[in-house]
PDB file of all heavy atoms in Angstrom:
ATOM      1  N   PHE A   1       0.838  -1.180  -0.010  1.00 86.00           N
ATOM      2  CA  PHE A   1      -0.001  -0.010  -0.018  1.00 86.00           C
ATOM      3  C   PHE A   1       0.867   1.260  -0.006  1.00 86.00           C
ATOM      4  O   PHE A   1       0.650   2.178  -0.766  1.00 86.00           O
ATOM      5  CB  PHE A   1      -0.934   0.011   1.210  1.00 86.00           C
ATOM      6  CG  PHE A   1      -1.740   1.258   1.338  1.00 86.00           C
ATOM      7  CD1 PHE A   1      -2.895   1.466   0.594  1.00 86.00           C
ATOM      8  CD2 PHE A   1      -1.321   2.270   2.206  1.00 86.00           C
ATOM      9  CE1 PHE A   1      -3.623   2.630   0.728  1.00 86.00           C
ATOM     10  CE2 PHE A   1      -2.062   3.436   2.358  1.00 86.00           C
ATOM     11  CZ  PHE A   1      -3.208   3.631   1.582  1.00 86.00           C
ATOM     12  N   CYS A   2       1.892   1.259   0.857  1.00 84.00           N
ATOM     13  CA  CYS A   2       2.763   2.439   0.926  1.00 84.00           C
ATOM     14  C   CYS A   2       3.554   2.585  -0.363  1.00 84.00           C
ATOM     15  O   CYS A   2       3.739   3.713  -0.823  1.00 84.00           O
ATOM     16  CB  CYS A   2       3.728   2.275   2.130  1.00 84.00           C
ATOM     17  SG  CYS A   2       2.919   2.435   3.710  1.00 84.00           S
ATOM     18  N   GLU A   3       4.025   1.478  -0.871  1.00 82.00           N
ATOM     19  CA  GLU A   3       4.784   1.563  -2.153  1.00 82.00           C
ATOM     20  C   GLU A   3       3.894   2.051  -3.296  1.00 82.00           C
ATOM     21  O   GLU A   3       4.335   2.770  -4.200  1.00 82.00           O
ATOM     22  CB  GLU A   3       5.381   0.231  -2.489  1.00 82.00           C
ATOM     23  CG  GLU A   3       6.500  -0.217  -1.570  1.00 82.00           C
ATOM     24  CD  GLU A   3       6.948  -1.655  -1.744  1.00 82.00           C
ATOM     25  OE1 GLU A   3       6.396  -2.347  -2.641  1.00 82.00           O
ATOM     26  OE2 GLU A   3       7.813  -2.073  -0.992  1.00 82.00           O
ATOM     27  N   GLY A   4       2.602   1.654  -3.275  1.00 82.00           N
ATOM     28  CA  GLY A   4       1.659   2.087  -4.269  1.00 82.00           C
ATOM     29  C   GLY A   4       1.386   3.592  -4.230  1.00 82.00           C
ATOM     30  O   GLY A   4       1.001   4.219  -5.195  1.00 82.00           O
ATOM     31  N   ARG A   5       1.643   4.181  -3.063  1.00 76.00           N
ATOM     32  CA  ARG A   5       1.506   5.607  -2.906  1.00 76.00           C
ATOM     33  C   ARG A   5       2.833   6.310  -3.250  1.00 76.00           C
ATOM     34  O   ARG A   5       2.977   7.512  -2.967  1.00 76.00           O
ATOM     35  CB  ARG A   5       1.106   5.983  -1.477  1.00 76.00           C
ATOM     36  CG  ARG A   5      -0.292   5.443  -1.113  1.00 76.00           C
ATOM     37  CD  ARG A   5      -0.621   5.776   0.328  1.00 76.00           C
ATOM     38  NE  ARG A   5      -0.342   7.098   0.769  1.00 76.00           N
ATOM     39  CZ  ARG A   5      -1.112   8.187   0.547  1.00 76.00           C
ATOM     40  NH1 ARG A   5      -2.243   8.091  -0.058  1.00 76.00           N
ATOM     41  NH2 ARG A   5      -0.747   9.356   0.993  1.00 76.00           N
ATOM     42  N   ASN A   6       3.796   5.563  -3.770  1.00 71.00           N
ATOM     43  CA  ASN A   6       5.115   6.061  -4.095  1.00 71.00           C
ATOM     44  C   ASN A   6       5.832   6.600  -2.875  1.00 71.00           C
ATOM     45  O   ASN A   6       6.458   7.685  -2.917  1.00 71.00           O
ATOM     46  CB  ASN A   6       5.081   7.104  -5.231  1.00 71.00           C
ATOM     47  CG  ASN A   6       4.649   6.518  -6.537  1.00 71.00           C
ATOM     48  OD1 ASN A   6       4.990   5.359  -6.831  1.00 71.00           O
ATOM     49  ND2 ASN A   6       3.873   7.256  -7.303  1.00 71.00           N
ATOM     50  N   GLU A   7       5.611   5.972  -1.766  1.00 67.00           N
ATOM     51  CA  GLU A   7       6.276   6.362  -0.510  1.00 67.00           C
ATOM     52  C   GLU A   7       6.973   5.149   0.062  1.00 67.00           C
ATOM     53  O   GLU A   7       6.464   4.040  -0.041  1.00 67.00           O
ATOM     54  CB  GLU A   7       5.223   6.835   0.532  1.00 67.00           C
ATOM     55  CG  GLU A   7       4.456   8.050   0.176  1.00 67.00           C
ATOM     56  CD  GLU A   7       3.446   8.403   1.248  1.00 67.00           C
ATOM     57  OE1 GLU A   7       3.342   7.677   2.287  1.00 67.00           O
ATOM     58  OE2 GLU A   7       2.712   9.360   1.049  1.00 67.00           O
ATOM     59  N   LYS A   8       8.124   5.379   0.648  1.00 68.00           N
ATOM     60  CA  LYS A   8       8.674   4.266   1.403  1.00 68.00           C
ATOM     61  C   LYS A   8       7.901   4.252   2.729  1.00 68.00           C
ATOM     62  O   LYS A   8       7.228   5.240   3.063  1.00 68.00           O
ATOM     63  CB  LYS A   8      10.153   4.507   1.656  1.00 68.00           C
ATOM     64  CG  LYS A   8      10.502   5.735   2.529  1.00 68.00           C
ATOM     65  CD  LYS A   8      11.941   5.829   2.800  1.00 68.00           C
ATOM     66  CE  LYS A   8      12.181   7.009   3.739  1.00 68.00           C
ATOM     67  NZ  LYS A   8      13.514   7.104   4.186  1.00 68.00           N
ATOM     68  N   PRO A   9       7.884   3.153   3.396  1.00 66.00           N
ATOM     69  CA  PRO A   9       7.152   3.118   4.713  1.00 66.00           C
ATOM     70  C   PRO A   9       7.615   4.219   5.606  1.00 66.00           C
ATOM     71  O   PRO A   9       8.773   4.380   5.899  1.00 66.00           O
ATOM     72  CB  PRO A   9       7.525   1.747   5.261  1.00 66.00           C
ATOM     73  CG  PRO A   9       7.782   0.913   4.017  1.00 66.00           C
ATOM     74  CD  PRO A   9       8.472   1.838   3.070  1.00 66.00           C
ATOM     75  N   SER A  10       6.664   5.083   5.971  1.00 79.00           N
ATOM     76  CA  SER A  10       6.976   6.281   6.712  1.00 79.00           C
ATOM     77  C   SER A  10       5.802   6.715   7.593  1.00 79.00           C
ATOM     78  O   SER A  10       4.744   6.119   7.518  1.00 79.00           O
ATOM     79  CB  SER A  10       7.366   7.408   5.790  1.00 79.00           C
ATOM     80  OG  SER A  10       6.242   7.742   5.011  1.00 79.00           O
ATOM     81  N   MET A  11       6.014   7.735   8.371  1.00 85.00           N
ATOM     82  CA  MET A  11       4.956   8.241   9.170  1.00 85.00           C
ATOM     83  C   MET A  11       3.796   8.805   8.364  1.00 85.00           C
ATOM     84  O   MET A  11       2.646   8.726   8.760  1.00 85.00           O
ATOM     85  CB  MET A  11       5.498   9.373  10.116  1.00 85.00           C
ATOM     86  CG  MET A  11       6.451   8.916  11.170  1.00 85.00           C
ATOM     87  SD  MET A  11       5.711   7.854  12.394  1.00 85.00           S
ATOM     88  CE  MET A  11       5.082   9.034  13.537  1.00 85.00           C
ATOM     89  N   GLU A  12       4.107   9.348   7.161  1.00 87.00           N
ATOM     90  CA  GLU A  12       3.017   9.845   6.282  1.00 87.00           C
ATOM     91  C   GLU A  12       2.104   8.715   5.874  1.00 87.00           C
ATOM     92  O   GLU A  12       0.879   8.814   5.902  1.00 87.00           O
ATOM     93  CB  GLU A  12       3.597  10.552   5.093  1.00 87.00           C
ATOM     94  CG  GLU A  12       4.260  11.859   5.407  1.00 87.00           C
ATOM     95  CD  GLU A  12       5.691  11.694   5.893  1.00 87.00           C
ATOM     96  OE1 GLU A  12       6.350  10.627   5.647  1.00 87.00           O
ATOM     97  OE2 GLU A  12       6.180  12.611   6.595  1.00 87.00           O
ATOM     98  N   CYS A  13       2.714   7.584   5.440  1.00 87.00           N
ATOM     99  CA  CYS A  13       1.889   6.462   5.040  1.00 87.00           C
ATOM    100  C   CYS A  13       1.169   5.867   6.242  1.00 87.00           C
ATOM    101  O   CYS A  13      -0.013   5.483   6.123  1.00 87.00           O
ATOM    102  CB  CYS A  13       2.792   5.397   4.394  1.00 87.00           C
ATOM    103  SG  CYS A  13       1.857   4.007   3.740  1.00 87.00           S
ATOM    104  N   LEU A  14       1.828   5.821   7.402  1.00 88.00           N
ATOM    105  CA  LEU A  14       1.209   5.322   8.614  1.00 88.00           C
ATOM    106  C   LEU A  14      -0.004   6.154   8.944  1.00 88.00           C
ATOM    107  O   LEU A  14      -1.040   5.632   9.377  1.00 88.00           O
ATOM    108  CB  LEU A  14       2.244   5.305   9.727  1.00 88.00           C
ATOM    109  CG  LEU A  14       1.815   4.659  11.040  1.00 88.00           C
ATOM    110  CD1 LEU A  14       1.550   3.153  10.828  1.00 88.00           C
ATOM    111  CD2 LEU A  14       2.914   4.824  12.105  1.00 88.00           C
ATOM    112  N   SER A  15       0.113   7.478   8.787  1.00 89.00           N
ATOM    113  CA  SER A  15      -0.966   8.366   9.077  1.00 89.00           C
ATOM    114  C   SER A  15      -2.184   8.097   8.235  1.00 89.00           C
ATOM    115  O   SER A  15      -3.353   8.085   8.688  1.00 89.00           O
ATOM    116  CB  SER A  15      -0.498   9.824   8.904  1.00 89.00           C
ATOM    117  OG  SER A  15      -1.572  10.705   9.095  1.00 89.00           O
ATOM    118  N   VAL A  16      -1.957   7.841   6.923  1.00 89.00           N
ATOM    119  CA  VAL A  16      -3.065   7.505   6.011  1.00 89.00           C
ATOM    120  C   VAL A  16      -3.750   6.212   6.462  1.00 89.00           C
ATOM    121  O   VAL A  16      -4.946   6.104   6.453  1.00 89.00           O
ATOM    122  CB  VAL A  16      -2.519   7.398   4.562  1.00 89.00           C
ATOM    123  CG1 VAL A  16      -3.635   6.840   3.637  1.00 89.00           C
ATOM    124  CG2 VAL A  16      -2.064   8.771   4.067  1.00 89.00           C
ATOM    125  N   LEU A  17      -2.937   5.217   6.814  1.00 89.00           N
ATOM    126  CA  LEU A  17      -3.473   3.940   7.253  1.00 89.00           C
ATOM    127  C   LEU A  17      -4.277   4.102   8.531  1.00 89.00           C
ATOM    128  O   LEU A  17      -5.357   3.518   8.692  1.00 89.00           O
ATOM    129  CB  LEU A  17      -2.366   2.922   7.404  1.00 89.00           C
ATOM    130  CG  LEU A  17      -1.691   2.469   6.124  1.00 89.00           C
ATOM    131  CD1 LEU A  17      -0.399   1.771   6.401  1.00 89.00           C
ATOM    132  CD2 LEU A  17      -2.652   1.575   5.341  1.00 89.00           C
ATOM    133  N   PHE A  18      -3.767   4.882   9.452  1.00 91.00           N
ATOM    134  CA  PHE A  18      -4.514   5.135  10.703  1.00 91.00           C
ATOM    135  C   PHE A  18      -5.793   5.850  10.457  1.00 91.00           C
ATOM    136  O   PHE A  18      -6.801   5.557  11.111  1.00 91.00           O
ATOM    137  CB  PHE A  18      -3.640   5.967  11.660  1.00 91.00           C
ATOM    138  CG  PHE A  18      -2.520   5.242  12.326  1.00 91.00           C
ATOM    139  CD1 PHE A  18      -1.641   5.923  13.124  1.00 91.00           C
ATOM    140  CD2 PHE A  18      -2.390   3.860  12.244  1.00 91.00           C
ATOM    141  CE1 PHE A  18      -0.577   5.274  13.771  1.00 91.00           C
ATOM    142  CE2 PHE A  18      -1.364   3.177  12.904  1.00 91.00           C
ATOM    143  CZ  PHE A  18      -0.460   3.929  13.679  1.00 91.00           C
ATOM    144  N   ASP A  19      -5.812   6.785   9.530  1.00 91.00           N
ATOM    145  CA  ASP A  19      -7.063   7.560   9.263  1.00 91.00           C
ATOM    146  C   ASP A  19      -8.173   6.638   8.776  1.00 91.00           C
ATOM    147  O   ASP A  19      -9.329   6.821   9.206  1.00 91.00           O
ATOM    148  CB  ASP A  19      -6.792   8.641   8.218  1.00 91.00           C
ATOM    149  CG  ASP A  19      -6.035   9.811   8.733  1.00 91.00           C
ATOM    150  OD1 ASP A  19      -5.954   9.950  10.024  1.00 91.00           O
ATOM    151  OD2 ASP A  19      -5.484  10.592   7.949  1.00 91.00           O
ATOM    152  N   ASP A  20      -7.864   5.644   7.988  1.00 86.00           N
ATOM    153  CA  ASP A  20      -8.867   4.673   7.517  1.00 86.00           C
ATOM    154  C   ASP A  20      -9.474   3.953   8.722  1.00 86.00           C
ATOM    155  O   ASP A  20     -10.719   3.813   8.808  1.00 86.00           O
ATOM    156  CB  ASP A  20      -8.303   3.706   6.526  1.00 86.00           C
ATOM    157  CG  ASP A  20      -8.013   4.341   5.193  1.00 86.00           C
ATOM    158  OD1 ASP A  20      -8.577   5.390   4.891  1.00 86.00           O
ATOM    159  OD2 ASP A  20      -7.224   3.733   4.426  1.00 86.00           O
ATOM    160  N   TYR A  21      -8.644   3.437   9.570  1.00 90.00           N
ATOM    161  CA  TYR A  21      -9.162   2.658  10.715  1.00 90.00           C
ATOM    162  C   TYR A  21      -9.808   3.584  11.760  1.00 90.00           C
ATOM    163  O   TYR A  21     -10.751   3.187  12.417  1.00 90.00           O
ATOM    164  CB  TYR A  21      -8.060   1.818  11.356  1.00 90.00           C
ATOM    165  CG  TYR A  21      -8.589   0.669  12.168  1.00 90.00           C
ATOM    166  CD1 TYR A  21      -8.957  -0.525  11.508  1.00 90.00           C
ATOM    167  CD2 TYR A  21      -8.805   0.758  13.493  1.00 90.00           C
ATOM    168  CE1 TYR A  21      -9.506  -1.604  12.210  1.00 90.00           C
ATOM    169  CE2 TYR A  21      -9.329  -0.311  14.235  1.00 90.00           C
ATOM    170  CZ  TYR A  21      -9.700  -1.475  13.581  1.00 90.00           C
ATOM    171  OH  TYR A  21     -10.204  -2.531  14.280  1.00 90.00           O
ATOM    172  N   LEU A  22      -9.274   4.802  11.857  1.00 92.00           N
ATOM    173  CA  LEU A  22      -9.886   5.786  12.805  1.00 92.00           C
ATOM    174  C   LEU A  22     -11.336   6.060  12.379  1.00 92.00           C
ATOM    175  O   LEU A  22     -12.224   6.201  13.229  1.00 92.00           O
ATOM    176  CB  LEU A  22      -9.066   7.066  12.861  1.00 92.00           C
ATOM    177  CG  LEU A  22      -9.545   8.131  13.808  1.00 92.00           C
ATOM    178  CD1 LEU A  22      -9.522   7.607  15.234  1.00 92.00           C
ATOM    179  CD2 LEU A  22      -8.663   9.372  13.669  1.00 92.00           C
ATOM    180  N   HIS A  23     -11.593   6.101  11.071  1.00 93.00           N
ATOM    181  CA  HIS A  23     -12.930   6.317  10.588  1.00 93.00           C
ATOM    182  C   HIS A  23     -13.855   5.192  11.079  1.00 93.00           C
ATOM    183  O   HIS A  23     -14.963   5.418  11.520  1.00 93.00           O
ATOM    184  CB  HIS A  23     -12.916   6.405   9.062  1.00 93.00           C
ATOM    185  CG  HIS A  23     -14.280   6.639   8.476  1.00 93.00           C
ATOM    186  ND1 HIS A  23     -14.949   7.846   8.565  1.00 93.00           N
ATOM    187  CD2 HIS A  23     -15.076   5.798   7.751  1.00 93.00           C
ATOM    188  CE1 HIS A  23     -16.119   7.772   7.968  1.00 93.00           C
ATOM    189  NE2 HIS A  23     -16.221   6.561   7.453  1.00 93.00           N
ATOM    190  N   LEU A  24     -13.383   3.937  10.995  1.00 93.00           N
ATOM    191  CA  LEU A  24     -14.155   2.808  11.469  1.00 93.00           C
ATOM    192  C   LEU A  24     -14.376   2.911  13.001  1.00 93.00           C
ATOM    193  O   LEU A  24     -15.472   2.659  13.468  1.00 93.00           O
ATOM    194  CB  LEU A  24     -13.436   1.491  11.142  1.00 93.00           C
ATOM    195  CG  LEU A  24     -14.039   0.247  11.727  1.00 93.00           C
ATOM    196  CD1 LEU A  24     -15.425  -0.018  11.120  1.00 93.00           C
ATOM    197  CD2 LEU A  24     -13.129  -0.957  11.451  1.00 93.00           C
ATOM    198  N   PHE A  25     -13.331   3.257  13.724  1.00 94.00           N
ATOM    199  CA  PHE A  25     -13.455   3.394  15.163  1.00 94.00           C
ATOM    200  C   PHE A  25     -14.515   4.468  15.516  1.00 94.00           C
ATOM    201  O   PHE A  25     -15.335   4.264  16.405  1.00 94.00           O
ATOM    202  CB  PHE A  25     -12.098   3.793  15.800  1.00 94.00           C
ATOM    203  CG  PHE A  25     -12.174   4.052  17.255  1.00 94.00           C
ATOM    204  CD1 PHE A  25     -12.148   3.016  18.190  1.00 94.00           C
ATOM    205  CD2 PHE A  25     -12.251   5.348  17.772  1.00 94.00           C
ATOM    206  CE1 PHE A  25     -12.216   3.249  19.510  1.00 94.00           C
ATOM    207  CE2 PHE A  25     -12.309   5.608  19.141  1.00 94.00           C
ATOM    208  CZ  PHE A  25     -12.294   4.560  20.002  1.00 94.00           C
ATOM    209  N   ASN A  26     -14.477   5.596  14.825  1.00 94.00           N
ATOM    210  CA  ASN A  26     -15.496   6.646  15.045  1.00 94.00           C
ATOM    211  C   ASN A  26     -16.887   6.178  14.758  1.00 94.00           C
ATOM    212  O   ASN A  26     -17.806   6.494  15.518  1.00 94.00           O
ATOM    213  CB  ASN A  26     -15.135   7.899  14.229  1.00 94.00           C
ATOM    214  CG  ASN A  26     -13.942   8.635  14.754  1.00 94.00           C
ATOM    215  OD1 ASN A  26     -13.639   8.635  15.955  1.00 94.00           O
ATOM    216  ND2 ASN A  26     -13.198   9.266  13.856  1.00 94.00           N
ATOM    217  N   GLU A  27     -17.075   5.410  13.689  1.00 94.00           N
ATOM    218  CA  GLU A  27     -18.360   4.857  13.406  1.00 94.00           C
ATOM    219  C   GLU A  27     -18.850   3.879  14.526  1.00 94.00           C
ATOM    220  O   GLU A  27     -19.990   3.932  14.920  1.00 94.00           O
ATOM    221  CB  GLU A  27     -18.369   4.099  12.092  1.00 94.00           C
ATOM    222  CG  GLU A  27     -18.298   5.002  10.874  1.00 94.00           C
ATOM    223  CD  GLU A  27     -18.293   4.219   9.537  1.00 94.00           C
ATOM    224  OE1 GLU A  27     -18.463   2.995   9.601  1.00 94.00           O
ATOM    225  OE2 GLU A  27     -18.101   4.874   8.503  1.00 94.00           O
ATOM    226  N   GLN A  28     -17.909   3.083  15.008  1.00 94.00           N
ATOM    227  CA  GLN A  28     -18.280   2.165  16.080  1.00 94.00           C
ATOM    228  C   GLN A  28     -18.701   2.911  17.340  1.00 94.00           C
ATOM    229  O   GLN A  28     -19.660   2.559  18.013  1.00 94.00           O
ATOM    230  CB  GLN A  28     -17.089   1.223  16.379  1.00 94.00           C
ATOM    231  CG  GLN A  28     -16.852   0.225  15.303  1.00 94.00           C
ATOM    232  CD  GLN A  28     -15.558  -0.544  15.525  1.00 94.00           C
ATOM    233  OE1 GLN A  28     -14.585  -0.034  16.122  1.00 94.00           O
ATOM    234  NE2 GLN A  28     -15.505  -1.774  15.054  1.00 94.00           N
ATOM    235  N   MET A  29     -17.936   3.976  17.658  1.00 93.00           N
ATOM    236  CA  MET A  29     -18.270   4.753  18.829  1.00 93.00           C
ATOM    237  C   MET A  29     -19.603   5.527  18.674  1.00 93.00           C
ATOM    238  O   MET A  29     -20.383   5.597  19.633  1.00 93.00           O
ATOM    239  CB  MET A  29     -17.118   5.758  19.155  1.00 93.00           C
ATOM    240  CG  MET A  29     -15.856   5.133  19.635  1.00 93.00           C
ATOM    241  SD  MET A  29     -16.062   4.213  21.140  1.00 93.00           S
ATOM    242  CE  MET A  29     -16.262   5.546  22.337  1.00 93.00           C
ATOM    243  N   ARG A  30     -19.867   6.019  17.479  1.00 93.00           N
ATOM    244  CA  ARG A  30     -21.108   6.702  17.234  1.00 93.00           C
ATOM    245  C   ARG A  30     -22.313   5.728  17.266  1.00 93.00           C
ATOM    246  O   ARG A  30     -23.462   6.173  17.447  1.00 93.00           O
ATOM    247  CB  ARG A  30     -21.051   7.461  15.913  1.00 93.00           C
ATOM    248  CG  ARG A  30     -20.313   8.788  16.043  1.00 93.00           C
ATOM    249  CD  ARG A  30     -20.516   9.654  14.796  1.00 93.00           C
ATOM    250  NE  ARG A  30     -19.896   9.066  13.614  1.00 93.00           N
ATOM    251  CZ  ARG A  30     -18.695   9.365  13.168  1.00 93.00           C
ATOM    252  NH1 ARG A  30     -17.961  10.263  13.795  1.00 93.00           N
ATOM    253  NH2 ARG A  30     -18.238   8.808  12.068  1.00 93.00           N
ATOM    254  N   SER A  31     -22.070   4.444  17.044  1.00 94.00           N
ATOM    255  CA  SER A  31     -23.166   3.477  17.136  1.00 94.00           C
ATOM    256  C   SER A  31     -23.637   3.287  18.538  1.00 94.00           C
ATOM    257  O   SER A  31     -24.758   2.761  18.758  1.00 94.00           O
ATOM    258  CB  SER A  31     -22.727   2.132  16.514  1.00 94.00           C
ATOM    259  OG  SER A  31     -21.819   1.449  17.384  1.00 94.00           O
ATOM    260  N   LEU A  32     -22.840   3.729  19.523  1.00 92.00           N
ATOM    261  CA  LEU A  32     -23.266   3.641  20.931  1.00 92.00           C
ATOM    262  C   LEU A  32     -23.896   4.939  21.317  1.00 92.00           C
ATOM    263  O   LEU A  32     -23.675   5.983  20.753  1.00 92.00           O
ATOM    264  CB  LEU A  32     -22.040   3.410  21.835  1.00 92.00           C
ATOM    265  CG  LEU A  32     -21.192   2.134  21.596  1.00 92.00           C
ATOM    266  CD1 LEU A  32     -19.953   2.205  22.468  1.00 92.00           C
ATOM    267  CD2 LEU A  32     -22.024   0.917  21.971  1.00 92.00           C
ATOM    268  N   ASN A  33     -24.697   4.895  22.405  1.00 91.00           N
ATOM    269  CA  ASN A  33     -25.209   6.129  23.014  1.00 91.00           C
ATOM    270  C   ASN A  33     -24.037   6.815  23.649  1.00 91.00           C
ATOM    271  O   ASN A  33     -23.130   6.167  24.171  1.00 91.00           O
ATOM    272  CB  ASN A  33     -26.260   5.788  24.092  1.00 91.00           C
ATOM    273  CG  ASN A  33     -27.519   5.234  23.429  1.00 91.00           C
ATOM    274  OD1 ASN A  33     -27.864   5.566  22.311  1.00 91.00           O
ATOM    275  ND2 ASN A  33     -28.185   4.352  24.189  1.00 91.00           N
ATOM    276  N   SER A  34     -24.089   8.133  23.727  1.00 87.00           N
ATOM    277  CA  SER A  34     -22.959   8.864  24.339  1.00 87.00           C
ATOM    278  C   SER A  34     -22.814   8.542  25.785  1.00 87.00           C
ATOM    279  O   SER A  34     -21.723   8.622  26.376  1.00 87.00           O
ATOM    280  CB  SER A  34     -23.158  10.366  24.163  1.00 87.00           C
ATOM    281  OG  SER A  34     -24.336  10.789  24.740  1.00 87.00           O
ATOM    282  N   THR A  35     -23.881   8.072  26.411  1.00 87.00           N
ATOM    283  CA  THR A  35     -23.757   7.675  27.870  1.00 87.00           C
ATOM    284  C   THR A  35     -23.007   6.357  28.001  1.00 87.00           C
ATOM    285  O   THR A  35     -22.416   6.089  29.043  1.00 87.00           O
ATOM    286  CB  THR A  35     -25.153   7.536  28.500  1.00 87.00           C
ATOM    287  OG1 THR A  35     -25.931   6.598  27.715  1.00 87.00           O
ATOM    288  CG2 THR A  35     -25.877   8.862  28.590  1.00 87.00           C
ATOM    289  N   ASP A  36     -22.997   5.550  26.926  1.00 91.00           N
ATOM    290  CA  ASP A  36     -22.245   4.297  26.964  1.00 91.00           C
ATOM    291  C   ASP A  36     -20.761   4.456  26.730  1.00 91.00           C
ATOM    292  O   ASP A  36     -20.024   3.498  26.874  1.00 91.00           O
ATOM    293  CB  ASP A  36     -22.826   3.308  25.927  1.00 91.00           C
ATOM    294  CG  ASP A  36     -24.217   2.835  26.279  1.00 91.00           C
ATOM    295  OD1 ASP A  36     -24.574   2.903  27.502  1.00 91.00           O
ATOM    296  OD2 ASP A  36     -24.943   2.388  25.386  1.00 91.00           O
TER     297      ASP A  36
END
């Protein structure tokens, strides 16, 4: 994935990968009531 972005494995590529999973995490948290 990082090579496909023409990047060597780096913090920039790691940040992009984290953002994808962070989106999933945020969806999971929003599926709960805020009191939960």
Side-chain angles (χ1 to χ4, degrees):
F1 174 81
C2 291
E3 290 170 3
R5 294 177 46 82
N6 293 324
E7 297 178 1
K8 65 178 185 173
S10 64
M11 292 294 274
E12 291 80 21
C13 185
L14 188 64
S15 176
V16 171
L17 291 165
F18 284 173
D19 285 345
D20 288 340
Y21 202 82
L22 182 62
H23 181 71
L24 174 64
F25 176 81
N26 286 331
E27 285 180 9
Q28 291 171 329
M29 290 299 288
R30 282 193 292 265
S31 72
L32 299 173
N33 293 328
S34 60
T35 56
D36 290 338

